[in-house]
Amino acid sequence: MSVDNPLWGAPRIHGELLKLGFEVAQSSVAKYMVKRRGPPSPGWRTFLRNHAPDLVAMDLFIAPTIGFDLLYVLVIVQLERRKTCLDQRHTPSDCGMDCMPDHRGIPLG
């Protein structure tokens, strides 16, 4: 019954067997059900290989200069080609809320 109805679990099969007049415990039904083995799910390596053209990694950090000024650096790496985009600002208010780095040929979208 579990082979013919792969979406049915032990409670459903137990109920159907009771309707047919078979007195059996639900734990026995679960014990003898055929285990469904599907194909293994793809891993991270497959995910990264399939989506590498669309993935980028970003990092924002602060680098102190020799004159003790703070330099805000945004690094964007396109994972498929491992191209690096670097954008640096002296203060975050130089660009306001609409701050976007110069992508230099990296299509983001």
Side-chain angles (χ1 to χ4, degrees), residues 45-67:
R45 187 178 301 252
T46 305
F47 175 81
L48 292 174
R49 184 174 44 245
N50 290 340
H51 297 285
D54 303 321
L55 293 176
V56 294
M58 294 186 272
D59 190 17
L60 175 66
F61 59 93
I62 300 170
T65 63
I66 294 176

Side-chain angles (χ1 to χ4, degrees), residues 10 22 28 43 63 80:
F22 294 101
S28 297
E80 179 185 29

